[in-house]
Amino acid sequence: MANDKKMVEEITSMDVDFAKWYTDVVKKAELCDYSSVKGFVILRPYGYAIWENIQHIVDKKLKATGHENVAMPMFIPESLLQKEKDHVEGFAPEVAWITHGGTEELTERMCVRPTSETLFCDHYSNIIKSYRDLPKLYNQWCSVVRWEKTTRPFLRTREFFWQEGHTMHETAQEAQDETIDILNLYAGFCENELAIPVIKGQKTDKEKFAGAEATYTIEAMMHDGKALQSGTTHYFGDGFSKAFDVVFQNRENKPQYPHETSWGISTRLVGAIIMTHGDNNGLVLPPAIAPIQVVVIPVAQHKPGVIEKATELQQRLAQKYRAKIDISDNSPGWKFAEYEMKGVPLRVEIGPKDMEKNQCVIVRRDNREKVFVPLDQLEETVEKLLEAVRQGLYQKALENREKRTFTAAAMDEMVQLANEKSGFIKAMWCGDEACELKLKESAGVSSRCIPFEQEQISNVCVCCGKPAKKMVYWGKAY
Amino acid sequence: MANDKKMVEEITSMDVDFAKWYTDVVKKAELCDYSSVKGFVILRPYGYAIWENIQHIVDKKLKATGHENVAMPMFIPESLLQKEKDHVEGFAPEVAWITHGGTEELTERMCVRPTSETLFCDHYSNIIKSYRDLPKLYNQWCSVVRWEKTTRPFLRTREFFWQEGHTMHETAQEAQDETIDILNLYAGFCENELAIPVIKGQKTDKEKFAGAEATYTIEAMMHDGKALQSGTTHYFGDGFSKAFDVVFQNRENKPQYPHETSWGISTRLVGAIIMTHGDNNGLVLPPAIAPIQVVVIPVAQHKPGVIEKATELQQRLAQKYRAKIDISDNSPGWKFAEYEMKGVPLRVEIGPKDMEKNQCVIVRRDNREKVFVPLDQLEETVEKLLEAVRQGLYQKALENREKRTFTAAAMDEMVQLANEKSGFIKAMWCGDEACELKLKESAGVSSRCIPFEQEQISNVCVCCGKPAKKMVYWGKAY
């Protein structure tokens, strides 16, 4: 019991200090550790396993839709980075520069990739010759480096892991379709596998990616009322193609520039999982990406046959699930707290009394519901409960988002909501960047997205009162 | 036919110019492309897919033996690199240096990891406290950078992909066992999945890893008689633990330094596959790692029902294998040459005449043997033939190695063999580095390894005539 208490005491309550709660969870659940390299973190086995599960699922979805993986160099020569004007302006201030290779000074310095549009376009200019070579649907899984000033594990680190897709298409329409198809793929993954509801929409020009014609985003609502951009897709038109001289012979046998997209999700998603589903006992993981889906804990394990029975249950479950057993010397109470901290979706308890009744106890991590299960119904019950956890998590997250979604028709209402509540504020916008800047200044909110699902709140811009063009989600964001 | 001819003409014969043959295969099979970043290559979809298959198999074997994946930062501060004397001497001359982050100059420069012993040890010093924390069996899949002067795709590039395992153990014995266990895991993977026979042995002190007490290696024989180091494991004793202050309380409750190992295989293995199994028609891939294991090619595909039948066969095979169909407008002859170039282990041909007889034709890539197969025996025949290809490749590679393994009892014999033949030369050695240097100078060979399977060729060193300690494999190497 002393141990249990210690475990629980170590996490700051999220109501007391959300930021501290977050770093406590990251640290105590052994997702990350700080390193001697400032602004960089170490992904520990449990944290990396979550990312591996994300990769595995998303990679399969990308391959099923015709995408192929490649690997580009991790360095970009300065002249290559400079080829597209808007892009270099956006990224040059935040890259790490290599100036020496071994003992020699480089004739041209190179940066570590902050993103790889330039490298992909350079390669595409070599391999795309004809419309028969299109589309090219390439993706790479890698890490990138951006010299951030303030960092937080998973949310903002100088190095982070992601996938970056870079595709080339014959027509503008096909490229635009790709950005929407991938956004839907991301949204489906977040909602189904991660149980995180998202708003799909377009970024305003102010918030779009450096060099893009259009940026689309999925925005999720965290437990503290801040938004988290969880995935983006970009439509470039033929801007990069022109800058990098990517030309193909079209069906009329004439030279033409192909149309480009890029898109990515990153280890930020692990941050989204923590802040969407976590509670004051620690992490809560959606089953699809949980490194351990079910943990079996023997109770009174010194009694004859208990460990054997528990092992038998674990082995039955391991046929289909990532199932673990803990037969260490720690008390059951300590183990309960430990695996709650680690967010394991289901816990199976079995002791001598359960064995007499030919049953076990299953406890859900999300709502702590406890059921007694006849041993011959173990697998089917686990299957049902894992699905119930997934749905329960999604429902809870959706309720949190709905509870934290407000509407403002006028500026004073906007400012008041932004001061008193935390969450999304839906309001009309005229389309001018000046109003975005003013809303940032007076209410501290930025535009999260112009959602695909529009509503008509009023006819005029919440800020300037001129005719409104779009309804926008506003909020504070990570 | 014009197309077929063109394909074949494009590869230089390996007997004419082996190096050119190699780069032709790499380029024409679309494994790699050169990039605008000097010394760096792009892994194209087909080349990267081979690496993904290697990763998938090896990762599974590592996890099955208790190893866990993590991710360390890609940068190492100079002071951290300098903590272990031999290590920094070995690597400092060949690393890439970061001096600026964004617009600010760094107070301490950092290198891009050439290998990550220093980062792992730094982390281990934070997380290893007690013997209960041991062993730690960590691995990471990543790319590393070494500023090589001359580069060749897969064999030596400034950036390459690998896995690096870094483990910590309670006792020296346990760490030494790990280096041998992993060497056996690597050797088993090369011999079974890659069909590449390897010699297992220990590196001489001159050839061992910077900072290691002992380095073990698997050495493969390429088609041109040069050796290729295909995987290494290193035993460090407690040298790095001392340098990085990694200390644990042992079972007697006393502070103790743990014993360390590291080990890796890399994209070099793709080079080994090319140069072990390839021929004048291109790549020949072992089935376990072939991105396409079987290609179905319809013959006279304009005839009614041919494409449908071919598609049906491909779909049957896709249940179990990586099976592809090519229904493009290219001629069957062009397609045969194309998939031979890409090293696809089996080709299934089906045309109207075969359909009448309810059969298809299967052609092996390795020896071009052709069999007529009743359609109801398709799956079982493919299974048998894939295994036959694997065995055939291994046998051919073993014969090549045996044909190219020589024995020298005296120095003149050694020099003559090194001049006239290419391959391994087995000879006795006194253990002095001076003799290694002399053999390099006079015969142009280096010690590949002290094989675990020793033979007594004579009693004296082939070079100096003093009493011999070990039999060594000598040769030229990539």
Side-chain angles (χ1 to χ4, degrees):
Chain A
M1 266 321 275
N3 267 331
D4 297 29
K5 233 181 146 184
K6 191 169 147 257
M7 291 283 301
V8 176
E9 271 174 3
E10 281 175 0
I11 315 187
T12 307
S13 161
M14 58 163 81
D15 312 303
V16 171
D17 185 341
F18 192 80
K20 181 126 200 337
W21 168 83
Y22 178 81
T23 46
D24 280 358
V25 171
V26 164
K27 186 96 190 179
K28 303 295 171 197
E30 301 191 337
L31 302 178
C32 268
D33 200 6
Y34 294 97
S35 77
S36 290
V37 196
K38 193 171 166 273
F40 289 67
V41 294
I42 291 157
L43 297 186
R44 300 190 66 181
Y46 200 65
Y48 195 75
I50 295 173
W51 179 238
E52 279 187 313
N53 290 334
I54 291 174
Q55 283 189 298
H56 183 74
I57 298 168
V58 174
D59 193 66
K60 217 166 155 179
K61 288 178 196 273
L62 290 176
K63 282 180 177 151
T65 47
H67 298 85
E68 300 180 291
N69 286 338
V70 298
M72 291 287 152
M74 66 154 85
F75 296 161
I76 307 173
E78 189 163 19
S79 57
L80 206 61
L81 189 70
Q82 286 173 337
K83 279 203 175 183
E84 210 286 332
K85 201 179 85 9
D86 294 332
H87 190 69
V88 66
E89 274 175 20
F91 283 105
E94 58 175 44
V95 297
W97 291 106
I98 317 280
T99 53
H100 290 75
T103 50
E104 58 176 297
E105 188 171 351
L106 302 184
T107 49
E108 179 187 13
R109 67 178 184 165
M110 299 195 282
C111 72
V112 180
R113 62 179 164 225
T115 177
S116 305
E117 277 73 10
T118 53
L119 294 162
F120 275 89
C121 285
D122 187 45
H123 180 49
Y124 281 144
S125 73
N126 289 326
I127 63 166
I128 294 176
K129 303 293 170 198
S130 149
Y131 69 89
R132 289 187 198 86
D133 299 325
L134 295 172
K136 279 277 180 267
L137 306 174
Y138 285 0
N139 176 61
Q140 84 175 350
W141 292 94
C142 63
S143 68
V144 292
V145 171
R146 298 176 187 179
W147 219 253
E148 306 284 357
K149 302 246 183 268
T150 53
T151 60
R152 294 183 70 187
F154 296 116
L155 301 175
R156 204 170 288 277
T157 45
R158 286 185 169 172
E159 178 184 10
F160 62 88
F161 289 82
W162 76 349
Q163 60 66 218
E164 46 176 330
H166 297 267
T167 68
M168 283 287 188
H169 304 265
E170 231 179 307
T171 65
Q173 186 59 54
E174 205 186 294
Q176 279 160 350
D177 290 348
E178 171 84 357
T179 57
I180 302 304
D181 290 347
I182 295 289
L183 197 77
N184 285 328
L185 186 153
Y186 288 163
F189 172 67
C190 283
E191 304 209 319
N192 297 320
E193 279 90 352
L194 303 187
I196 299 176
V198 292
I199 306 282
K200 290 186 279 188
Q202 185 170 356
K203 287 282 182 191
T204 62
D205 280 355
K206 179 175 176 301
E207 299 289 330
K208 74 185 185 189
F209 183 83
E213 284 195 12
T215 289
Y216 303 98
T217 179
I218 47 173
E219 299 281 327
M221 175 48 56
M222 302 298 98
H223 215 85
D224 63 344
K226 281 196 194 160
L228 188 88
Q229 176 182 304
S230 303
T232 48
T233 70
H234 315 291
Y235 170 63
F236 292 104
D238 56 9
F240 272 82
S241 291
K242 284 176 179 162
F244 284 82
D245 204 24
V246 187
V247 181
F248 69 99
Q249 295 297 113
N250 68 16
R251 288 168 201 266
E252 286 76 47
N253 216 23
K254 289 189 182 138
Q256 188 182 313
Y257 293 113
H259 290 74
E260 194 197 0
T261 84
S262 80
W263 28 272
I265 53 163
S266 75
T267 35
R268 282 205 119 187
L269 284 178
V270 181
I273 293 166
I274 300 169
M275 294 193 293
T276 302
H277 302 311
D279 63 23
N280 282 331
N281 295 310
L283 206 55
V284 182
L285 293 177
I289 56 82
I292 306 166
Q293 296 174 308
V294 194
V295 63
V296 179
I297 297 182
V299 177
Q301 65 183 37
H302 56 283
K303 293 279 176 68
V306 174
I307 287 187
E308 290 73 7
K309 196 65 183 177
T311 305
E312 183 195 312
L313 299 189
Q314 183 263 335
Q315 283 170 351
R316 275 170 59 186
L317 291 171
Q319 301 294 315
K320 202 170 159 192
Y321 303 103
R322 294 184 288 271
K324 184 186 154 143
I325 185 168
D326 186 341
I327 54 166
S328 68
D329 287 343
N330 298 312
S331 73
W334 190 93
K335 292 177 191 174
F336 296 169
E338 166 77 4
Y339 295 99
E340 284 192 359
M341 166 72 81
K342 293 208 150 185
V344 175
L346 297 179
R347 171 172 90 222
V348 174
E349 304 169 14
I350 185 152
K353 280 180 199 154
D354 304 306
M355 283 163 66
E356 270 171 30
K357 295 185 199 153
N358 219 24
Q359 69 177 25
C360 64
V361 179
I362 306 187
V363 184
R364 280 171 62 167
R365 171 65 181 91
D366 61 328
N367 60 9
R368 300 182 145 204
E369 259 176 37
K370 190 179 228 180
V371 286
F372 295 88
V373 179
L375 292 185
D376 62 0
Q377 290 168 29
L378 178 65
E379 287 88 347
E380 61 190 88
T381 311
V382 163
E383 185 173 349
K384 273 183 210 148
L385 288 176
L386 285 174
E387 174 58 14
V389 169
R390 185 184 76 82
Q391 288 183 18
L393 290 179
Y394 182 83
Q395 211 46 47
K396 216 157 130 183
L398 191 62
E399 280 159 24
N400 179 56
R401 187 181 80 190
E402 283 171 355
K403 203 180 68 188
R404 293 178 181 281
T405 303
F406 311 97
T407 303
M411 193 65 178
D412 54 350
E413 210 179 339
M414 185 85 170
V415 173
Q416 195 183 349
L417 280 168
N419 286 338
E420 291 171 12
K421 310 279 185 186
S422 54
F424 284 131
I425 306 171
K426 296 190 284 188
M428 303 308 291
W429 178 55
C430 60
D432 280 352
E433 198 171 311
C435 289
E436 276 183 279
L437 292 167
K438 189 152 179 216
L439 281 164
K440 181 80 193 177
E441 204 184 284
S442 23
V445 297
S446 59
S447 67
R448 303 317 310 147
C449 70
I450 307 161
F452 293 159
E453 282 187 27
Q454 283 284 310
E455 294 165 49
Q456 187 77 16
I457 293 164
S458 82
N459 293 320
V460 295
C461 176
V462 72
C463 183
C464 67
K466 286 185 201 153
K469 286 199 182 129
K470 294 284 177 190
M471 190 268 278
V472 168
Y473 275 86
W474 306 87
K476 289 164 188 155
Y478 279 97
Chain B
M1 266 321 275
N3 265 333
D4 298 29
K5 234 181 146 185
K6 190 168 148 260
M7 292 283 301
V8 175
E9 272 175 3
E10 280 175 2
I11 315 185
T12 307
S13 161
M14 58 162 80
D15 312 302
V16 171
D17 184 342
F18 192 80
K20 182 124 198 342
W21 167 83
Y22 178 82
T23 45
D24 280 358
V25 171
V26 164
K27 186 97 190 180
K28 303 294 169 196
E30 301 189 338
L31 302 178
C32 267
D33 199 8
Y34 294 97
S35 78
S36 290
V37 197
K38 194 171 165 273
F40 290 67
V41 293
I42 291 157
L43 297 186
R44 302 190 65 182
Y46 200 66
Y48 195 75
I50 295 173
W51 178 237
E52 280 187 311
N53 290 333
I54 291 174
Q55 283 188 298
H56 184 74
I57 298 168
V58 173
D59 193 66
K60 215 165 157 181
K61 287 177 197 274
L62 290 176
K63 282 179 177 151
T65 48
H67 298 85
E68 300 180 292
N69 287 338
V70 298
M72 291 286 152
M74 66 153 84
F75 297 160
I76 308 173
E78 188 163 19
S79 57
L80 206 61
L81 189 70
Q82 285 173 338
K83 278 202 175 183
E84 210 287 334
K85 200 179 83 14
D86 293 333
H87 190 70
V88 66
E89 274 176 19
F91 283 104
E94 58 176 45
V95 296
W97 291 105
I98 317 279
T99 54
H100 289 74
T103 50
E104 60 175 295
E105 188 170 353
L106 302 184
T107 50
E108 180 188 11
R109 66 178 185 166
M110 300 195 281
C111 71
V112 180
R113 64 181 163 223
T115 178
S116 305
E117 277 72 11
T118 53
L119 294 163
F120 276 88
C121 285
D122 187 44
H123 179 49
Y124 281 144
S125 73
N126 288 327
I127 63 165
I128 294 175
K129 303 291 170 201
S130 149
Y131 69 89
R132 288 186 199 85
D133 299 325
L134 295 173
K136 280 276 180 269
L137 307 174
Y138 284 1
N139 176 60
Q140 84 175 349
W141 293 94
C142 63
S143 68
V144 292
V145 170
R146 298 177 187 177
W147 218 253
E148 305 284 357
K149 302 245 182 268
T150 53
T151 59
R152 294 182 70 186
F154 296 116
L155 301 175
R156 202 171 290 278
T157 45
R158 286 184 171 174
E159 178 184 11
F160 61 87
F161 289 83
W162 76 348
Q163 59 68 218
E164 46 177 330
H166 296 268
T167 69
M168 282 288 188
H169 304 265
E170 230 180 308
T171 65
Q173 186 61 51
E174 205 186 293
Q176 280 160 351
D177 290 348
E178 171 83 358
T179 56
I180 303 303
D181 290 347
I182 295 289
L183 197 76
N184 285 328
L185 186 154
Y186 287 164
F189 172 66
C190 284
E191 304 208 320
N192 296 321
E193 278 90 352
L194 303 187
I196 299 176
V198 291
I199 305 284
K200 290 187 280 189
Q202 185 171 355
K203 287 282 182 191
T204 62
D205 280 355
K206 179 176 175 299
E207 300 289 331
K208 75 185 185 189
F209 183 82
E213 283 195 13
T215 289
Y216 304 96
T217 181
I218 47 172
E219 299 281 327
M221 175 50 54
M222 302 297 99
H223 215 85
D224 64 343
K226 281 196 195 162
L228 187 89
Q229 178 181 304
S230 303
T232 49
T233 71
H234 314 291
Y235 170 64
F236 291 103
D238 57 9
F240 271 83
S241 292
K242 284 177 179 161
F244 284 82
D245 204 24
V246 187
V247 180
F248 69 99
Q249 294 298 114
N250 67 17
R251 287 168 200 267
E252 285 76 47
N253 218 21
K254 289 190 182 137
Q256 188 183 312
Y257 294 113
H259 290 74
E260 194 199 1
T261 83
S262 80
W263 28 272
I265 52 164
S266 75
T267 33
R268 282 207 118 186
L269 284 178
V270 181
I273 293 166
I274 300 169
M275 293 194 292
T276 302
H277 302 311
D279 64 23
N280 283 331
N281 295 310
L283 207 55
V284 182
L285 293 177
I289 55 84
I292 306 166
Q293 296 174 307
V294 193
V295 63
V296 179
I297 297 182
V299 176
Q301 66 183 34
H302 57 283
K303 294 278 176 72
V306 173
I307 286 187
E308 291 74 6
K309 195 65 183 177
T311 305
E312 182 196 313
L313 300 189
Q314 184 263 336
Q315 282 170 350
R316 276 169 60 186
L317 291 171
Q319 301 294 314
K320 204 170 156 189
Y321 303 102
R322 295 185 287 272
K324 185 187 154 143
I325 186 168
D326 187 342
I327 54 164
S328 67
D329 287 342
N330 297 311
S331 72
W334 189 92
K335 292 177 190 174
F336 295 169
E338 167 76 4
Y339 294 100
E340 284 192 359
M341 165 73 81
K342 292 208 151 185
V344 176
L346 296 181
R347 172 173 88 223
V348 174
E349 306 168 14
I350 185 151
K353 280 181 201 154
D354 304 306
M355 283 164 69
E356 270 171 31
K357 296 185 199 154
N358 218 23
Q359 69 176 25
C360 65
V361 179
I362 306 187
V363 184
R364 281 171 63 168
R365 171 65 181 91
D366 62 327
N367 61 11
R368 301 182 146 206
E369 260 176 36
K370 188 180 231 180
V371 285
F372 295 88
V373 179
L375 291 185
D376 61 0
Q377 290 167 29
L378 178 66
E379 287 88 347
E380 61 189 88
T381 311
V382 162
E383 184 173 350
K384 272 184 211 148
L385 287 177
L386 284 174
E387 173 59 15
V389 168
R390 185 185 76 82
Q391 287 185 18
L393 290 179
Y394 182 83
Q395 212 46 46
K396 218 157 130 183
L398 191 62
E399 279 160 24
N400 179 55
R401 186 181 81 190
E402 283 172 355
K403 202 180 70 188
R404 293 178 181 282
T405 302
F406 309 97
T407 303
M411 193 65 177
D412 53 351
E413 211 180 339
M414 185 85 170
V415 173
Q416 195 183 349
L417 279 169
N419 286 338
E420 291 171 11
K421 310 279 185 185
S422 54
F424 283 133
I425 306 171
K426 297 191 283 190
M428 303 308 290
W429 178 54
C430 61
D432 280 353
E433 197 172 312
C435 289
E436 276 183 278
L437 292 167
K438 191 153 177 214
L439 281 164
K440 181 79 193 178
E441 203 184 285
S442 23
V445 295
S446 60
S447 67
R448 302 317 311 148
C449 71
I450 306 161
F452 293 160
E453 282 188 26
Q454 283 284 308
E455 295 164 48
Q456 187 75 19
I457 293 164
S458 82
N459 294 320
V460 296
C461 175
V462 72
C463 183
C464 67
K466 283 185 201 152
K469 286 197 181 130
K470 294 285 177 188
M471 190 268 278
V472 168
Y473 275 85
W474 306 87
K476 287 161 190 158
Y478 278 98

